[in-house]
Structure formats: structure tokens, C-alpha cells
């Protein structure tokens, strides 16, 4: 046993022995029950279950209807956790946010660090009133939980069953239990801290692997959001990246329910955004009441940690980890672990960005080579073939042959014009292209032609540039990129058709834009990965639409459909 643990156990034993002296004969007979209770209190290492066992044991030994433990992160601080016994889930929801320990009797117990025993707590001048929905309570007994002088929290019992108030016997019992509880909480905290560090390290490894795997960038950012949400026990995980027009754009959201905030831009005028872009951490205890929040996106959440994704003095984005309304505040240790996680995620983002730049450069080099080959070889050969056909047309005495050759020459002219258009698109930098949706779709198709080895066909229905909004268009391009990426990686297709229909309608009759990508490849294996398809579905659902996939047309393969309301 470590030296400090031996000292704690020895001190606890001395305090326990001292507390047991002076018990009445009635409660002396209950010493075996007390010893069994203290044994059960220290039986586990998981902190929350340990606190629940302490509450239950305290209520049983003190003959109280209700019991609670308020845990403080450091002496004099507010409550970082509040565990109750005897209060139903419905009552807890009606009460709402748990006490913070700044005011009232609980605040006095934290600040004074001494036991408090009352026959009528409402008559005490320190009483600050009950919130709406709180059950009625009169008798009260509270003792501090400490080990070797360090306060871990406070143990409370209320509403003594039967007549009368809590007496000296209950005070002795509660002090013994508080002493043992302090040791148990200390051990549980040590175990919890080690377990949390291990989990955050594993989460950082998962994020680094996802970002550097060469997969879809949106999917990798979704991994960052999901890992942050899971590790922090939060209601959501949100990744934001700098927007072209300033501010931060929400690019990935992980939560129990689909979020409508994907693609929303938080303006640069927000004090929170300004702080994050300066590389500062932001902690919001109650976002709905915080004056720094100029948008209402966070009203549904409680305690909120926002961290810059910073690497090498450059802010690449931000990570938002909110807990639900009424959730417990983030402890100092949790905030430190989240900060380390954000730093690791930022480093992985920077490495992934460098990797994508290298891949993009390789694609540009391939595009230049293909454009030169098309211009210097293919067009010249097609032009020579056209001249030979025209010569054959003049020499043929058969009118039907002349007409057929003429149609073939016309088709060659059209083909040459299409190849020249493709050459122009291949040589064009992305920022040189107009911002219309039609042009952006064609750019993605031309980019996909390099790894596919052929040019996908395309079709537009309706005035896509004027009907489709910027948010829908941006997400449609991302969905098209994901679908084409899946095709050239897995489908082994020889034909791909892209269709953008701005005249579509949702099942409920709303006007919609529908993207359809069809190939004649091998189809999706029964046990194949679905991460990319799930990403398409999440993106559509965030805009009120849907996405699905099925078999292709006559030649087999796969058809992916993605649609959102206009």
C-alpha cells in the first residue's frame, strides 16, 4: 500500500474510532450495520456509483427520507456535481438545474466547513428558498466530507422519518460515514482521472488515424466531433472552420439527434468567435444567459467548452463541446483533457491538410498531362480522321454513303468541341471558375475524370443556378464529391451519370433539388463500409432532406440519390 494511502487509512480509522465513542446504546447496537455500510461505500471505483451508494447509505442510517452529496472541485469552489437519493426523476426534471453551492444553506456548509443541524431549515436566516417543483423539507443535517483536512464535498440528509429532528446519534453516524466516504471518493477520483486520461488518449489516436487515412475530409471531421462528444459525456460535439466571408462555419455535428445547424456561419462580430480566432479558450456556464452569445444556437445547451484548434501559432478552427441543459459543469481536469485533445486534433488537421495539398498537386499535374495529351494527340488524330472521311465522301458516288460519312464528320466536330471544353476546364484553376452551381458541378465531374479514367456524363434539369440556394448548393457539391469518391474507389465502373434536378419534389410536396449519381460498377457489397453513405444521409437530414442508395439501372451497379428542400 502506498505511504499516502496508509496515512489516509490510519487517519480515517482514528476518526472513525473517535466518532463511535459516545454513541447511545440504541445506536451502538447498529455498529455492525454501520461497518457493513462503510464497507459497501468503498466497494467500487466508479465515482458516480460510489456517490449514489453513499447517499443511499446515509439515508438508511440516519432514517432520512432524502439524502444528497455536493462535490466540490477544490475548497471554497462551487459544486461540480450533485447526487441525490429519494428524489424521483420526474421531480428532478421539475426542479431543473441543480444548486451551485454559492448561496443558501449549501453555500454556508461549503464556506464554513462545519456541520449544520436544523429542526426547521426554512426558519434559518441562511435559507435562500426552494426552486419551483422542489419537495417540502424541514429537518436538515449536513456534514463536510474531508480527508486529512482536504474537503471533497458535503453530505446532507433531510426529513427525518418519525417525530423529532436529527440528534447527536445521527450526527455521529453521519460523521463516521462522511469520513469513510472521503476515502472512497478520493480513491474513486484517482481511478476516474486515470480512466479519463486513457480514454482521451485513445480518442486522440482515433482522430489522428481518421484524419490521416486519406478518407473524406467531412467524415474525418465528423470523427473529431463524435469522439469529443463521447469522451466529454456531452450532448453534442461540434467542429467549426473559418468561413470565407469571416467568422466560423459549423462543418460537423455529432449528437443524438440530427442537427439543423450544419453549414450555419457564426459571424465574426461574436465575442466568442473573436476569442477563439485569437487562440483563446471560452467556457460558458449558461450560454442562454451569457452576454457574449449573440446567436441563439446554444440556447438548448448547458455548460459549454469551446476550444481553438490551434497548431504552430495558427488557428485552424474550433471545437465546441456542450452538455445538455441542467448538465453538470466541466471540472478543471475535464477542461484540461479536452484542451489536450483539441491540440492533438489540430495537429492532425494540419498534417491532413498538408497531405491533401500534396494529393491536390498530384491531381493538378495529372490534369495538365491529360490536357496536353488530349490537345497534342487526340484532337490531332480526330482532325486527321475527319479530313480522311471528307476525302472519302467526295470520292464516293453513292449518295447514302456520302450522307452517312457527312453525319460521322459532324459527330467528330462535336466531339472535338467537347474535348476542347474539357481541356479548358482541366487547365482552369478552381478560383477562376464562376461561382454558379452548374459550373461547380462540372468542376467536380472533371476532377473525378482523372481517377476514373473517363469523363462522367451529366444532365441538368431546371434553372439550378437560380433556384438552389448557397447552403443547399454547398452541401450538394459536398455530397457529389462524396458519391464520386465512393465510385472511383470501390465501384470499378466504366460509366457514371450525374443528374442534378432542380424541379424535383419531396414526398410532402415541397420543392427540392435532387442529385443522382448512377454507375454500372460492382455494386455495394453486403458487408461493405457504409461510412460515406451515412455521411451523405447526415448532411441531407441536417437540411430537412434525405439520402438513399439502391441498384443501378439496366446495367446493374449503384444509384445514390440525395435531395433537400429548396
Amino acid at each position: 500500500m502506498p505511504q499516502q494511502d496508509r496515512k489516509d487509512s490510519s487517519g480515517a480509522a482514528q476518526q472513525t474510532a473517535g466518532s463511535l465513542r459516545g454513541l447511545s446504546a440504541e445506536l451502538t447496537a447498529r455498529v455492525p450495520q454501520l461497518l457493513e455500510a462503510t464497507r459497501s461505500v468503498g466497494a467500487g471505483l466508479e465515482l458516480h456509483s460510489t456517490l449514489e451508494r453513499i447517499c443511499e447509505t446515509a439515508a438508511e442510517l440516519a432514517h432520512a427520507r432524502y439524502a444528497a452529496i455536493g462535490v466540490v472541485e477544490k475548497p471554497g469552489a462551487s459544486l461540480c456535481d450533485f447526487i441525490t437519493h429519494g428524489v424521483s426523476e420526474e421531480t428532478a426534471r421539475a426542479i431543473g438545474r441543480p444548486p451551485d453551492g454559492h448561496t443558501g444553506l449549501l453555500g454556508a456548509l461549503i464556506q464554513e466547513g462545519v456541520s449544520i443541524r436544523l429542526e426547521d431549515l426554512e426558519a434559518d436566516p441562511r435559507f435562500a428558498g426552494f426552486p419551483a417543483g422542489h419537495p417540502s423539507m424541514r429537518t436538515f443535517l449536513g456534514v463536510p466530507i474531508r480527508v486529512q483536512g482536504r474537503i471533497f464535498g458535503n453530505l446532507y440528509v433531510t426529513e427525518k422519518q418519525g417525530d423529532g429532528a436529527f440528534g447527536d446519534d445521527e450526527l455521529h453516524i453521519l460523521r463516521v460515514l462522511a469520513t469513510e466516504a472521503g476515502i472512497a471518493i478520493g480513491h474513486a477520483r484517482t481511478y476516474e482521472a486515470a480512466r479519463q486520461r486513457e480514454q482521451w488518449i485513445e480518442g486522440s489516436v482515433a482522430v489522428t488515424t481518421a484524419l490521416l487515412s486519406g478518407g473524406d475530409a467531412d467524415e474525418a471531421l465528423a470523427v473529431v466531433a463524435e469522439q469529443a462528444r463521447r469522451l466529454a459525456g456531452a450532448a453534442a460535439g461540434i467542429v467549426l472552420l473559418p468561413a470565407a466571408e469571416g467568422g466560423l462555419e459549423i462543418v460537423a455535428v455529432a449528437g443524438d439527434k440530427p442537427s439543423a445547424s450544419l453549414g450555419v456561419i457564426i459571424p465574426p462580430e461574436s465575442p466568442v468567435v473573436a476569442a477563439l480566432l485569437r487562440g483563446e479558450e471560452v467556457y460558458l456556464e449558461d450560454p442562454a444567459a451569457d452576454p457574449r452569445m449573440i446567436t441563439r444556437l446554444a440556447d438548448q445547451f448547458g455548460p459549454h467548452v469551446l476550444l481553438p484548434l490551434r497548431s504552430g501559432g495558427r488557428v485552424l478552427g474550433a471545437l465546441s463541446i456542450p452538455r445538455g441543459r441542467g448538465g453538470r459543469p466541466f471540472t478543471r481536469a475535464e477542461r484540461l483533457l479536452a484542451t489536450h485533445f483539441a491540440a492533438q486534433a489540430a495537429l492532425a488537421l494540419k498534417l491532413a491538410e498538408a497531405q491533401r495539398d500534396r494529393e491536390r498537386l498530384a491531381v493538378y499535374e495529372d490534369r495538365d498531362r491529360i490536357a496536353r495529351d488530349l490537345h497534342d494527340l487526340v484532337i490531332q488524330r480526330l482532325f486527321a480522321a475527319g479530313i480522311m472521311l471528307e476525302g472519302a465522301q467526295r470520292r464516293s458516288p453513292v449518295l447514302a454513303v456520302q450522307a452517312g460519312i457527312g453525319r460521322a464528320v459532324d459527330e467528330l466536330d462535336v466531339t472535338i468541341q467537347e474535348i476542347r471544353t474539357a481541356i479548358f476546364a482541366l487547365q482552369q484553376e478552381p478560383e477562376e471558375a464562376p461561382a454558379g452551381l452548374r459550373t461547380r458541378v462540372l468542376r467536380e465531374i472533371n476532377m473525378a475524370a482523372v481517377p476514373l479514367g473517363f469523363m462522367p456524363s451529366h444532365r441538368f434539369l431546371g434553372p439550378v443556378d437560380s433556384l438552389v440556394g448557397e447552403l443547399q448548393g454547398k452541401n450538394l457539391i459536398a455530397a457529389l464529391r462524396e458519391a464520386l469518391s465512393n465510385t472511383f474507389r470501390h465501384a470499378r465502373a466504366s460509366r457514371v451519370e450525374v443528374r442534378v434536378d432542380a424541379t424535383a419534389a419531396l414526398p410532402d410536396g415541397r420543392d427540392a433539388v435532387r442529385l443522382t449519381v448512377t454507375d454500372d460498377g460492382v455494386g455495394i457489397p453486403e458487408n461493405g463500409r457504409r461510412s460515406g453513405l451515412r455521411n451523405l444521409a447526415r448532411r441531407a437530414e441536417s437540411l430537412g432532406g434525405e439520402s438513399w442508395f439502391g441498384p443501378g439501372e439496366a446495367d446493374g451497379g449503384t444509384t445514390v440519390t440525395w435531395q433537400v428542400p429548396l
Side-chain angles (χ1 to χ4, degrees):
M1 179 183 294
Q3 182 71 19
Q4 185 60 45
D5 286 353
R6 284 200 297 269
K7 289 181 179 180
D8 288 348
S9 298
S10 175
Q14 293 174 10
Q15 293 183 46
T16 300
S19 298
L20 288 173
R21 284 194 292 270
L23 291 181
S24 67
E26 177 186 351
L27 287 182
T28 300
R30 297 175 57 196
V31 167
Q33 182 185 3
L34 175 60
L35 294 176
E36 176 61 24
T38 57
R39 185 197 65 78
S40 67
V41 163
L45 288 175
E46 201 278 322
L47 182 56
H48 199 82
S49 61
T50 298
L51 297 176
E52 289 177 339
R53 280 198 305 276
I54 293 171
C55 283
E56 183 180 358
T57 303
E60 180 183 355
L61 291 176
H63 292 232
R65 183 175 180 183
Y66 303 107
I69 288 181
V71 181
V72 293
E73 190 173 357
K74 57 184 178 180
S78 59
L79 297 177
C80 64
D81 204 357
F82 193 73
I83 308 298
T84 63
H85 172 77
V87 178
S88 66
E89 292 183 5
E90 293 78 11
T91 302
R93 283 196 295 268
I95 295 173
R97 188 177 177 182
D100 56 16
H102 289 305
T103 59
L105 286 170
L106 304 190
L109 196 56
I110 292 173
Q111 295 160 14
E112 298 171 13
V114 296
S115 302
I116 296 178
R117 181 171 44 172
L118 301 170
E119 293 186 14
D120 186 356
L121 59 87
E122 295 189 25
D124 191 278
R126 293 167 293 186
F127 178 68
F130 289 129
H134 197 285
S136 176
M137 297 178 182
R138 292 193 61 194
T139 54
F140 176 89
L141 176 59
V143 298
I145 300 175
R146 57 161 63 92
V147 174
Q148 296 293 311
R150 180 185 176 191
I151 293 180
F152 280 108
N154 297 287
L155 175 59
Y156 325 100
V157 290
T158 62
E159 285 296 281
K160 188 176 188 302
Q161 296 178 5
D163 297 330
F166 295 106
D168 291 338
D169 292 334
E170 285 82 13
L171 179 59
H172 281 302
I173 288 286
L174 222 60
R175 281 174 172 167
V176 172
L177 187 60
T179 301
E180 296 298 326
I183 293 290
I185 293 174
H187 291 168
R189 274 190 167 180
T190 301
Y191 170 77
E192 188 91 353
R195 188 170 63 88
Q196 281 186 340
R197 282 194 296 270
E198 181 181 358
Q199 289 177 339
W200 281 95
I201 290 172
E202 291 176 353
S204 297
V205 171
V207 165
T208 303
T209 302
L211 286 170
L212 299 182
S213 63
D216 181 76
D218 290 335
E219 182 181 343
L221 293 174
V223 172
V224 175
E226 176 56 35
Q227 288 290 341
R229 182 190 75 88
R230 181 183 65 84
L231 294 169
I238 303 169
V239 177
L240 305 96
L241 296 181
E245 57 269 38
L248 291 172
E249 179 184 358
I250 298 176
V251 297
V253 180
D256 295 331
K257 299 179 181 178
S259 173
S261 60
L262 192 66
V264 172
I265 296 176
I266 314 299
E269 295 79 19
S270 167
V272 173
V273 169
L276 290 170
L277 292 177
R278 290 195 301 268
E280 301 172 6
E281 302 171 9
V282 178
Y283 177 68
L284 307 174
E285 190 169 341
D286 185 3
D290 198 299
R292 292 173 293 178
M293 295 295 293
I294 65 173
T295 67
R296 301 272 62 90
L297 289 174
D299 285 359
Q300 59 184 315
F301 298 120
H304 209 128
V305 171
L306 296 105
L307 303 167
L309 296 174
R310 181 177 51 194
S311 179
R314 177 185 167 203
V315 176
L316 304 176
L319 176 62
S320 171
I321 314 174
R323 284 187 171 142
R325 294 289 296 172
R328 64 179 179 84
F330 288 88
T331 66
R332 182 172 52 182
E334 288 175 328
R335 290 162 66 177
L336 181 60
L337 288 170
T339 300
H340 291 165
F341 174 84
Q344 182 66 30
L347 178 60
L349 274 173
K350 189 173 183 179
L351 293 174
E353 184 180 56
Q355 179 174 296
R356 285 194 296 272
D357 286 343
R358 289 193 297 270
E359 293 173 352
R360 191 178 297 115
L361 179 60
V363 169
Y364 287 155
E365 290 174 349
D366 277 347
R367 289 172 62 184
D368 289 341
R369 177 184 56 77
I370 292 171
R372 288 195 303 271
D373 290 346
L374 287 174
H375 182 272
D376 297 340
L377 300 176
V378 178
I379 287 183
Q380 297 301 325
R381 290 180 179 178
L382 289 175
F383 188 73
I387 292 176
M388 287 188 292
L389 286 172
E390 287 179 341
Q393 183 185 33
R394 288 192 297 270
R395 290 192 297 271
S396 176
V398 181
L399 294 179
V401 172
Q402 291 180 0
I405 292 176
R407 287 193 297 270
V409 170
D410 292 340
E411 287 294 329
L412 282 177
D413 288 339
V414 172
T415 301
I416 290 172
Q417 291 302 319
E418 289 178 347
I419 292 176
R420 283 175 173 166
T421 301
I423 292 172
F424 176 74
L426 286 169
Q427 292 175 332
Q428 192 176 40
E429 291 294 329
E431 59 270 16
E432 295 174 356
L437 179 59
R438 181 187 297 264
T439 301
R440 285 183 284 168
V441 168
L442 292 175
R443 184 193 306 159
E444 294 298 326
I445 291 174
N446 289 328
M447 289 284 287
V450 175
L452 282 171
F454 61 88
M455 182 69 69
S457 63
H458 61 272
R459 184 180 180 190
F460 294 97
L461 299 176
V464 296
D465 285 339
S466 59
L467 287 181
V468 182
E470 177 61 27
L471 179 59
Q472 288 79 6
K474 183 188 304 181
N475 282 276
L476 184 144
I477 292 299
L480 173 61
R481 188 180 301 128
E482 176 75 40
L484 290 174
S485 174
N486 289 338
T487 300
F488 66 68
R489 285 181 183 174
H490 310 298
R492 300 199 295 274
S494 60
R495 181 178 61 83
V496 177
E497 180 183 0
V498 175
R499 181 182 305 169
V500 180
D501 184 0
T503 65
L506 297 178
D508 59 7
R510 286 180 295 168
D511 293 336
V513 57
R514 179 179 299 143
L515 167 69
T516 307
V517 180
T518 303
D519 66 66
D520 63 350
V522 298
I524 299 176
E526 186 67 27
N527 298 320
R529 291 183 61 193
R530 299 289 196 274
S531 56
L533 297 170
R534 286 194 297 269
N535 190 39
L536 287 173
R538 284 196 301 267
R539 187 177 291 278
E541 290 167 1
S542 70
L543 298 175
E546 57 185 341
S547 178
W548 67 92
F549 66 94
E553 298 176 353
D555 297 330
T558 304
T559 296
V560 175
T561 305
W562 186 92
Q563 61 183 20
V564 296
L566 291 173

